[in-house]
Every structure is written in C-alpha cells, then in structure tokens.
Amino acid sequence: METASLGKRILIFVANTILSLGCGFAAATPFLVVLHWHPALYVIYSLAFSGITCFILEFLVLLISKGYTIGSAIVGVKFVSPDAKKISAKQMTIRAICESVYMFAIFDLGYFIKNKTERGIIDRLCDSFAIDIFR
C-alpha cells in the first residue's frame, strides 16, 4: 500500500474544484438570467451552490464507488481506512464536508505543499489514507 504522491493529490484537488465550481456556476446561471441578479450576488450564490454541489458529489461518489472521488478516479487514487479496507460512512461524510469548504481544502493543499507529507489535515481528521492503485 503506497500513499499517493503530492502531484497526484494536487491533481485531485484541481479536478474536484473545477468540477464543483462549474456545477455551481451552471446551477446559478438561470437565477442570473431570469432574476437579473447583480453580478456580485451571482458570484456569491454560485459559490454557495458550488459548496453544496461539492458536498453532494463527493459524498455520493465516495459512497457509490467505495473510496473514489471523481478527481481521484481520474488519477488512480483510492481513499481507504488505516486497515486498508473501504472507508466508512462517517469518514466519507467528514471528507465531503471538509472538501466542500474551499478555504479548508486550500489550507489542506498548502499543508501538503509546505510539509511534503503523505497525509493531509483532511486525511487525519477522517482517519484515512490516499493510496495509489497504479503502483
């Protein structure tokens, strides 16, 4: 069981962020067009929709795929519990909440880059490991 590299963890973060931001801005676009919202209000609601979308997508995909998010499936990384089994629903919920709060996810990414560690803050909170399935 080899943990995922820093480069793969960064790719996971970027893929998940782009996907959730895209979904959030797409979900808020009808409100901009129909209700003629001010662009600043559109951005605020889009970020709120993105956070909600990110939580729902992360949790459902983790639940259905038993340890993969969309970004981690692209780069070949699986999230497992310390005994190398699938993660529990509690661990999935904690991971989805932490990753849907963008500032916390950015802080976690900064922690990875600064400390060059194998486990980030989110991994420590939900007691999981990101393992590379292609190695």
Side-chain angles (χ1 to χ4, degrees), residues 31-90:
F31 294 100
L32 175 70
V33 174
V34 174
L35 300 177
H36 304 291
W37 278 353
H38 188 273
L41 190 62
Y42 168 69
V43 170
I44 291 169
Y45 277 103
S46 297
L47 290 175
F49 285 150
S50 297
I52 294 167
T53 303
C54 182
F55 171 75
I56 292 170
L57 282 176
E58 290 282 328
F59 183 76
L60 289 178
V61 171
L62 278 168
L63 184 66
I64 292 169
S65 67
K66 296 179 177 59
Y68 293 98
T69 63
I70 295 172
S72 69
I74 292 170
V75 297
V77 172
K78 183 176 183 176
F79 297 102
V80 296
S81 62
D83 57 0
K85 295 184 179 174
K86 67 177 186 170
I87 61 175
S88 66
K90 178 183 171 187

Side-chain angles (χ1 to χ4, degrees), residues 13 17 98-110 122:
F13 173 77
T17 302
C98 290
E99 289 185 4
S100 64
V101 178
Y102 294 116
M103 292 308 293
F104 190 74
I106 291 169
F107 180 69
D108 188 44
L109 183 66
I122 295 174

Side-chain angles (χ1 to χ4, degrees), residues 14-34:
V14 170
N16 287 341
T17 302
I18 289 172
L19 179 68
S20 62
L21 284 175
C23 290
F25 278 87
T29 300
F31 294 100
L32 175 70
V33 174
V34 174

